[in-house]
Amino acid sequence: MPEGHSVHRIANQFTRHFVGKRCEVSSPQGRFAAGAAQLDGTRMVAARAVGKQMFLEFEGDRFLRVHLGLYGAWDFAGDLSTAGALSDDDGEESLTSIGAPRLARYRMAEQEKVEDPIEAFPPEPVGQVRVRLLTEDTVADLRGPTACVVEDPAGVQKALDKLGPDPINDDGPEAEKTFVDNVRKRNVAIGQLLMDQAVVSGIGNIYRAELLFRQRIDPYKPGKKITVKQAKALWQDWSKLLHDGVRDGLMLTMDGLSPEDLERAKRSRKDRHWVYHREGEPCRVCGTEIRMADMAGRKLYWCPKDQK
């Protein structure tokens, strides 16, 4: 599932290439035909991400709210900026800078992947496209989302009211206090709380494991027993990692790497994390075997020695 940095990067892509343009909105699959008809022919005026949800605002106080969920992805094509993409050994390419436009095509979801350039614009829809947003020179196709809904301002506010703070939108003292209070009033394991989007927006399985290891916190420690100092440190570290991820397009959670190790981490996802997806391997700090268990239906990774 895409985590917060991915959704913010997608929103930034819409801001660069769609905001201010009139869009033809359709549903090649047919499942979103009624919603598409409400937006068709209107101008996109803003794109915003909050946690794992994205809100595309159109003229007339109408919004397209999208949650990619486990399987959703956006495919962009057309006169797009893709030069300077960072390619790794796993086939992932992160679009880390803006270069000369070309008739490019790439997918944005949990990972970002540059695909073969298109030969003609617009390309034919491929697969089950829930919604297509088409301008004179760009197109975005959405497949497999958990949510794809047209909202009015009241509906948007209702969705936002269910979400915890997102440090990209606000990392000031009030947002920090909201996070600290959300954590410390609950008698629920901190490893579960960090995945609760009502507590904090955007954290998924990878960032959850890495944040807790970076702060040396036992994932089973109840929120009520997390100190104010620990909660503030978690929030500040989440803000750092999220901003880094939006900037770089990589979930690189290890600090202090040598130039050689940094290049290795950029090339391979298995070299980017302290504990995530490393069950049975030695801890990079103490050598203890990394453990894995299920927590609220998701895999949890931690070091039993360093995270006491």
Side-chain angles (χ1 to χ4, degrees):
M1 177 184 292
E3 302 198 26
H5 78 293
S6 297
V7 185
H8 279 285
R9 284 175 63 83
I10 294 169
N12 290 344
Q13 187 67 5
F14 276 108
T15 298
R16 283 195 294 266
H17 294 296
F18 287 79
V19 168
K21 298 180 181 180
R22 196 167 301 279
C23 298
E24 293 181 20
V25 185
S26 61
S27 179
Q29 178 195 61
R31 290 181 57 186
F32 189 65
Q38 296 181 59
L39 304 174
D40 187 35
T42 61
R43 192 180 310 274
M44 188 182 296
V45 298
R48 178 190 184 194
V50 181
K52 299 180 182 182
Q53 302 217 37
M54 187 172 63
F55 303 86
L56 301 178
E57 182 179 357
F58 291 81
E59 293 173 320
D61 282 338
R62 285 169 290 186
F63 297 77
L64 179 62
R65 177 174 65 85
V66 174
H67 190 307
L68 292 178
L70 287 173
Y71 306 110
W74 283 99
D75 284 339
F76 293 89
D79 197 8
L80 304 170
S81 302
T82 62
L86 172 65
S87 179
D88 67 21
D89 295 340
D90 300 303
E92 176 183 352
E93 296 187 72
S94 290
L95 310 172
T96 56
S97 63
I98 298 177
R102 62 190 179 121
L103 288 180
R105 183 202 298 266
Y106 61 95
R107 172 167 291 197
M108 300 186 76
E110 184 178 0
Q111 282 95 39
E112 300 173 21
K113 184 177 181 181
V114 177
E115 300 179 338
D116 292 337
I118 61 175
E119 296 182 1
F121 183 85
E124 289 295 319
V126 177
Q128 297 297 307
V129 176
R130 183 76 57 86
V131 62
R132 164 168 278 206
L133 305 177
L134 176 66
T135 74
E136 291 183 351
D137 53 9
T138 53
V139 63
D141 288 341
L142 175 64
R143 297 180 180 84
T146 293
C148 177
V149 183
V150 175
E151 304 274 18
D152 60 14
V156 170
Q157 190 59 52
K158 184 177 180 180
L160 292 174
D161 289 343
K162 297 178 181 179
L163 299 176
D166 179 330
I168 290 291
N169 298 315
D170 182 5
D171 62 357
E174 287 302 315
E176 179 185 75
K177 182 178 185 303
T178 297
F179 170 77
V180 171
D181 291 345
N182 285 348
V183 166
R184 299 190 73 243
K185 69 184 181 182
R186 302 280 297 278
N187 192 30
V188 177
I190 185 62
Q192 187 170 336
L193 289 175
L194 292 184
M195 298 279 280
D196 185 341
Q197 300 302 296
V199 173
V200 58
S201 288
I203 296 177
N205 218 24
I206 299 177
Y207 280 130
R208 180 260 302 269
E210 295 297 295
L211 281 164
L212 290 173
F213 180 82
R214 286 164 62 94
Q215 298 304 318
R216 303 299 193 268
I217 295 175
D218 179 352
Y220 289 94
K221 188 174 184 178
K224 284 186 174 181
K225 294 187 178 180
I226 298 292
T227 66
V228 171
K229 182 178 179 180
Q230 286 177 316
K232 286 184 175 182
L234 279 171
W235 171 257
Q236 292 161 10
D237 203 23
W238 170 226
S239 179
K240 176 190 181 303
L241 290 181
L242 181 57
H243 280 86
D244 288 350
V246 173
R247 182 192 65 224
D248 300 333
L250 293 176
M251 300 176 75
L252 176 55
T253 53
M254 297 176 67
D255 293 329
L257 297 178
S258 67
E260 295 79 10
D261 287 341
L262 179 59
E263 287 305 311
R264 187 180 301 112
K266 288 180 179 179
R267 292 195 305 269
S268 175
R269 290 195 291 272
K270 68 182 180 64
D271 294 310
R272 293 176 191 164
H273 308 308
W274 292 106
V275 294
Y276 177 75
H277 221 265
R278 298 191 65 245
E279 72 274 18
E281 297 183 41
C283 174
R284 299 186 192 274
V285 174
C286 71
T288 302
E289 185 175 294
I290 298 299
R291 292 184 182 174
M292 186 272 287
D294 285 338
M295 176 178 281
R298 301 296 301 276
K299 291 182 179 179
L300 168 72
Y301 303 87
W302 82 104
C303 174
K305 181 177 179 181
D306 288 325
Q307 294 175 257
K308 292 183 179 179

